[in-house]
Amino acid sequence: MTTPAQRRLLLVFAHPDDESVFAAGVACRTVAECGRVALCTATQGELGKLGDPPVCPRERLGAARQAELMAACGELGIATVRLLGYPDRGLAFAPVDTIRRQIVEVIRAVRPQVIVTFDPNGTNLHPDHVAISRFTSDAVAAAGDARWFPDLGPAHETPRLLWTLPVRPWEVMRRPDPGVEPGVDFVLDVARFAGRKEAALKAHRTQRQSLDRIFFSKPDAARLLGVEMFRQAFGPPLAVRPAADVFVDLEHHPD
C-alpha cells in the first residue's frame, strides 16, 4: 500500500459539517499517518439551521458556517480547504463547465489517491448531496484526461473513488455485523480519534440540534464516533470486504 508520507486524501462535500459527519475519522487517521488531507466544500450552507439559541441572524449564517468549517478543519488537521460558494439547495443548477473546472483544479493540485464524496443518491436524497456526487464523478474523469483544462497542470488519474453509504451510516452501525451489508466496502476503526471528531462536530454550533440528534443524544454515541464506513465507487478490486484501510492496494499509485 502507499506509505504514510505519500497518502493524499481529498474530501468533496456539499455543506459545512458534511466533512465532520461522514469523514472526520478518516481525515484524522490520514493526518496521523503523516498523510495530507484536503477538503472542497461546495456551499456555505446558508439555508441550514441557526442554532438554538440562534448563533447569528439568518443573513449572516453563511459566513458563520464558513467560520465553523474552518474551526472544524483545524480540529481535524485539514490544512487545505477550497470553498466554491454555490447557493445552498441550488447546487444542482451550478454551471457544469464552471464547477467541473473548479473541482479539476483541486484534484490536480492535491493529486489524491483517494477521493471521498456522497453516493449518487446523496445518502439521504438531499439535492445538494446528489449534485456534488455527480459533479465530483464528472471532475474525476476530466482531471485524468489531459485534453481537459491543460492550463490547470498535468492530468491526474485518481485510483480510488469512495462514496458514503447508500443509507445513513449510523443506522448500519447498529446492525449486528455491518461488514456483511452490501455497499459496506470499508469499515474503519477511528475510535482513537473520537475526541477530535467530537470537537469538529461541536465546532458546527449552528447545526448542534441535528448533530445532537444523530450522535450525542444516543446511548451508543462512542460507537457512532468510533467507526466510519465507505463504499467503493471504483478502484482496485478488494481482496477482502470490508477492508480496514482506504489506501489498501494503492502501492502502484504514489503520484
Side-chain angles (χ1 to χ4, degrees):
M1 66 186 69
T2 56
T3 61
Q6 295 173 319
R7 294 182 171 194
R8 294 181 300 277
L9 172 69
L10 174 62
L11 312 176
V12 186
F13 285 120
H15 310 107
D17 82 2
D18 291 339
E19 80 299 326
S20 298
V21 171
F22 294 98
V26 69
C28 288
R29 180 167 160 173
T30 302
V31 172
E33 294 168 345
C34 301
R36 290 186 289 151
V37 183
L39 169 67
C40 179
T41 301
T43 81
Q44 288 188 318
E46 66 274 11
L47 297 182
K49 293 180 172 62
L50 293 170
D52 184 20
V55 171
C56 65
R58 170 63 62 183
E59 62 271 17
R60 292 178 52 197
L61 181 59
R65 293 198 68 184
Q66 181 174 328
E68 291 173 347
L69 175 66
M70 299 309 296
C73 287
E75 297 287 352
L76 301 176
I78 300 175
T80 301
V81 182
R82 175 74 183 272
L83 297 165
L84 302 185
Y86 288 99
D88 194 7
R89 291 194 174 271
L91 185 58
F93 304 102
V96 168
D97 293 338
T98 302
I99 195 167
R100 178 188 296 125
R101 180 182 176 87
Q102 291 172 315
I103 300 176
V104 166
E105 183 177 19
V106 174
I107 292 171
R108 289 187 182 167
V110 175
R111 308 189 77 76
Q113 293 99 354
V114 179
I115 294 178
V116 178
T117 191
F118 282 108
D119 87 299
N121 293 312
T123 293
N124 60 0
L125 295 177
H126 190 297
D128 289 345
H129 295 182
V130 173
I132 199 60
S133 177
R134 171 168 57 91
F135 289 134
T136 301
S137 294
D138 173 70
V140 167
D145 185 341
R147 298 171 298 177
W148 286 100
F149 314 118
D151 58 310
L152 296 182
H156 174 72
E157 295 187 11
T158 301
R160 173 169 286 146
L161 176 65
L162 298 183
W163 290 333
T164 58
L165 298 190
V167 296
R168 290 173 172 83
W170 41 89
E171 296 174 359
V172 177
M173 287 178 202
R174 293 191 174 99
R175 296 173 188 172
D177 185 359
V180 304
E181 300 289 335
V184 179
D185 295 326
F186 293 85
V187 175
L188 275 61
D189 180 353
V190 295
R192 63 188 171 122
F193 306 112
R196 290 173 60 187
K197 181 165 184 170
E198 179 176 352
L201 288 164
K202 288 182 176 178
H204 294 283
R205 295 171 54 223
T206 57
Q207 308 310 299
R208 185 65 185 269
Q209 292 164 280
S210 297
L211 299 175
D212 280 351
R213 185 179 70 252
I214 296 168
F215 293 103
F216 303 118
S217 66
K218 306 301 184 185
D220 56 349
R223 183 183 182 201
L224 297 181
L225 293 170
V227 178
E228 288 181 351
M229 295 179 287
F230 303 97
R231 177 184 177 192
Q232 178 158 279
F234 68 75
L238 297 173
V240 176
R241 281 192 172 90
D245 179 3
V246 299
F247 292 94
V248 68
D249 295 327
L250 297 182
E251 66 271 17
H252 299 303
H253 300 276
D255 185 16

